[in-house]
Amino acid sequence: MANVSSHTVFEFSCFLELGRLRPLLFLPFSLFYFLSLGANFLLVFVIARRRSLHSPMYLLIAGLACVDGALPLLALSPLLLSFLLGWTQMSLGGCLLQMFVVHLLGAFQSTVLLWMALDRCLAVVHPLRYSARMSGRLLLGVAVPLVLRNVVLVSGLVVLAGKLHFCDSVLLNCFCEHMAVVRLACGDTSLNSALGLLAIGLVPVLDFILIATSYVVVLATALSGRIATKAANTVVTHIIVISMSLTVILVAFISYRVQHQLPHTARLLCSALYLFLPSTTTPLAFGIRTQEIRKQIEHMLRSVF
């Protein structure tokens, strides 16, 4: 291995088997891309514009929309250019940067969903003390450890991956995902795999446990008859959004682990769904099911047209 130079340029095997039909993928992917950007921008714009929507719940929805909009903007833009211009290669530095962005934004998607679950749990279980407890100090006490967790874990994954010696350059994916890059390395990658499993356990798995616990408490309160109809509708919307997001993540994770049993194209589609489907469906769910946001959007559209 010492006499073999490490690859510094990776080539994506992203639907290359489609041949001349590959550029046609630009159309459906760009549809989801612009729909995601437009829907998330509209959600953030409406919440920022209306002072009546500046409560913690709506600000968290706006924060999730920012993350959901940034993910396709930063991660899917190179993919669309590859369909349109035929780009199939990326440098090691660009690949590590994309890995950092994709995994950090994915971690923050999970984190914001957790914040939203905790916010609804507090609002439903202790409605009279909700405003007092949602103080700046409490928010910082919850937010800072989670932000540090995400940044430290993702940075560790990227730094360790950057130190590997790469004997292969063909990346079996459409973007630079951690384990896809690590599998190109020769030598011992046990530390990379261990940190990857730790990141999975401390981010999506831990967040899912806390989210599920929060909504169990909320549902228990609902069954006791101490929850308002408005709060119940809000909680149902949150559960729908979380269920969609976690289902897509689970499908992408399983497809990657059983990649030898799946056609390559099917696995690539599952991987791509992880990037753009939650970012597209989440703002639509909140915009349609959240009455206050829906009214503001309808009012704005009537004033324009």
Side-chain angles (χ1 to χ4, degrees), residues 274-291:
Y274 165 74
L275 285 181
F276 64 71
L277 193 59
S279 299
T280 304
T281 57
T282 296
L284 295 177
F286 280 122
I288 294 172
R289 285 194 53 86
T290 307
Q291 184 178 5

Side-chain angles (χ1 to χ4, degrees), residues 89-110:
Q89 294 184 336
M90 182 177 290
S91 66
L92 174 61
C95 190
L96 293 176
L97 178 61
Q98 187 183 63
M99 184 195 305
F100 178 80
V101 170
V102 168
H103 287 294
L104 186 64
L105 290 176
F108 274 110
Q109 278 183 321
S110 174

Side-chain angles (χ1 to χ4, degrees), residues 1-233:
M1 185 181 71
N3 296 325
V4 180
S5 61
S6 178
H7 289 278
T8 58
V9 176
F10 296 133
E11 182 167 355
F12 297 101
S13 62
C14 184
F15 302 106
L16 294 180
E17 61 275 13
L18 296 180
R20 294 182 178 180
L21 297 178
R22 186 174 180 269
L24 296 178
L25 292 175
F26 176 82
L27 297 176
F29 275 82
S30 62
L31 176 63
F32 280 103
Y33 177 81
F34 290 110
L35 181 59
S36 174
L37 290 181
N40 283 292
F41 172 78
L42 179 62
L43 201 58
V44 173
F45 177 77
V46 168
I47 293 174
R49 188 166 176 248
R50 296 295 179 180
R51 188 174 296 273
S52 60
L53 299 180
H54 289 183
S55 64
M57 182 187 73
Y58 296 113
L59 293 178
L60 285 171
I61 293 176
L64 182 61
C66 289
V67 175
D68 284 341
L71 189 57
L73 180 64
L74 299 176
L76 279 181
S77 295
L79 180 60
L80 291 178
L81 289 176
S82 75
F83 291 148
L84 194 62
L85 304 177
W87 294 350
T88 59
Q89 294 184 336
M90 182 177 290
S91 66
L92 174 61
C95 190
L96 293 176
L97 178 61
Q98 187 183 63
M99 184 195 305
F100 178 80
V101 170
V102 168
H103 287 294
L104 186 64
L105 290 176
F108 274 110
Q109 278 183 321
S110 174
T111 298
V112 176
L113 290 173
L114 172 59
W115 286 339
M116 294 171 69
L118 296 176
D119 172 80
R120 289 300 85 198
C121 183
L122 187 60
V124 169
V125 177
H126 301 289
L128 298 179
R129 289 179 285 177
Y130 171 73
S131 299
R133 290 193 175 189
M134 289 300 290
S135 61
R137 180 177 298 180
L138 177 62
L139 289 175
L140 287 177
V142 175
V144 170
L146 294 176
V147 170
L148 290 177
R149 175 200 66 175
N150 295 346
V151 173
V152 170
L153 286 174
V154 175
S155 298
L157 292 175
V158 174
V159 169
L160 286 179
K163 294 182 178 180
L164 293 174
H165 187 97
F166 297 101
C167 301
D168 194 359
S169 62
V170 179
L171 198 64
L172 300 178
N173 213 323
C174 289
F175 63 96
C176 290
E177 190 268 340
H178 174 252
M179 284 309 300
V181 174
V182 170
R183 289 190 175 187
L184 301 180
C186 44
D188 185 18
T189 60
S190 57
L191 184 58
N192 302 80
S193 299
L195 185 57
L197 290 174
L198 180 64
I200 291 173
L202 290 180
V203 181
V205 174
L206 178 60
D207 288 355
F208 172 75
I209 293 173
L210 295 175
I211 289 170
T213 302
S214 299
Y215 283 119
V216 166
V217 174
V218 169
L219 292 176
T221 305
L223 293 175
S224 67
R226 294 187 291 112
I227 181 173
T229 302
K230 180 180 176 181
N233 291 333

